[in-house]
Amino acid sequence: LMNDTVSTLTHPNHFKVIQNDVVVVIQKTPPETLRVLYQLMKDVHELFQIHNSVYWAEGGTLLGCIRHQGFIPWDDDLDIAIHQSDVQKLIALQPQLEALGYELVTGYWFIIQAKDGVVVDNRRSYGDKDIRSPWIDIFRFQAEEGGGQNLIHASEYCLRRWPR
């Protein structure tokens, strides 16, 4: 919400966002959803540590860490990134994720979601699965052509949708 105005309404669980001169009321993420998201991230973090997989915060999750010292109050997912070279490690985690009650969904990016999560009506299905809240989006990054330190989306779709 760059260059937008955010303010709390009289109801403590809602925010008023003024975006391009349009007022939108957004509900805060319920505490139970946040609890499940924290558990999901804790479980994924522990699996990544065990398997020496590197990840980092990305997108709205990174913005929330900086701007809100936690979640963006109305965010409903987590965004992390991995290097393209760790994709097979992620795929190999499927049995362990399933044992924890999660499923790995593949597509332009990966999603880890609770198998018993709530189907999100306002989101399209992803691949052959319904998107279930809560979830983690996992984006793949690779070195930019020509070498150097810059990383870009490994998926052409993601690179077009979220250019540098």
Side-chain angles (χ1 to χ4, degrees), residues 57-127:
E58 179 65 23
T61 298
L62 180 59
L63 178 64
C65 289
I66 294 168
R67 190 169 68 185
H68 300 278
Q69 291 74 51
F71 282 97
I72 296 173
W74 51 86
D75 207 355
D76 60 356
D77 72 342
L78 292 163
D79 304 308
I80 63 173
I82 61 171
H83 196 275
Q84 178 66 26
S85 62
D86 279 342
V87 166
Q88 290 308 313
K89 287 182 184 178
L90 175 62
I91 292 170
L93 293 177
Q94 280 183 304
Q96 292 163 296
L97 289 166
E98 288 181 14
L100 292 168
Y102 306 123
E103 63 183 346
L104 180 66
V105 183
T106 60
Y108 297 114
W109 62 91
F110 293 93
I111 294 173
I112 296 175
Q113 61 186 12
K115 287 193 274 187
D116 64 351
V118 177
V119 174
V120 180
D121 292 332
N122 65 342
R123 308 243 183 184
R124 292 178 294 161
S125 293
Y126 188 73

Side-chain angles (χ1 to χ4, degrees):
L1 294 173
M2 297 172 69
N3 301 320
D4 299 332
T5 303
V6 178
S7 64
T8 304
L9 295 173
T10 54
H11 191 286
N13 290 326
H14 291 85
F15 288 90
K16 176 177 70 173
V17 177
I18 302 171
Q19 194 172 28
N20 300 323
D21 297 325
V22 176
V23 177
V24 180
V25 176
I26 300 174
Q27 183 174 358
K28 286 175 78 172
T29 304
E32 177 59 18
T33 300
L34 291 175
R35 187 196 66 70
V36 174
L37 279 168
Y38 277 116
Q39 184 64 52
L40 174 57
M41 189 66 241
K42 177 184 177 290
D43 292 341
V44 169
H45 170 76
E46 289 172 354
L47 287 174
F48 277 30
Q49 278 195 316
I50 291 167
H51 295 278
N52 297 314
S53 295
V54 175
Y55 73 94
W56 58 93
E58 179 65 23
T61 298
L62 180 59
L63 178 64
C65 289
I66 294 168
R67 190 169 68 185
H68 300 278
Q69 291 74 51
F71 282 97
I72 296 173
W74 51 86
D75 207 355
D76 60 356
D77 72 342
L78 292 163
D79 304 308
I80 63 173
I82 61 171
H83 196 275
Q84 178 66 26
S85 62
D86 279 342
V87 166
Q88 290 308 313
K89 287 182 184 178
L90 175 62
I91 292 170
L93 293 177
Q94 280 183 304
Q96 292 163 296
L97 289 166
E98 288 181 14
L100 292 168
Y102 306 123
E103 63 183 346
L104 180 66
V105 183
T106 60
Y108 297 114
W109 62 91
F110 293 93
I111 294 173
I112 296 175
Q113 61 186 12
K115 287 193 274 187
D116 64 351
V118 177
V119 174
V120 180
D121 292 332
N122 65 342
R123 308 243 183 184
R124 292 178 294 161
S125 293
Y126 188 73
D128 62 344
K129 306 270 186 180
D130 287 327
I131 302 297
R132 296 182 178 278
S133 179
W135 71 91
I136 299 177
D137 289 321
I138 303 177
F139 299 98
R140 302 173 292 123
F141 278 77
Q142 65 187 12
E144 192 170 30
E145 258 185 58
Q149 298 287 329
N150 294 335
L151 294 177
I152 60 171
H153 281 284
S155 159
E156 288 295 324
Y157 173 84
C158 292
L159 190 56
R160 282 192 310 276
R161 186 166 177 188
W162 300 289
R164 298 177 239 189

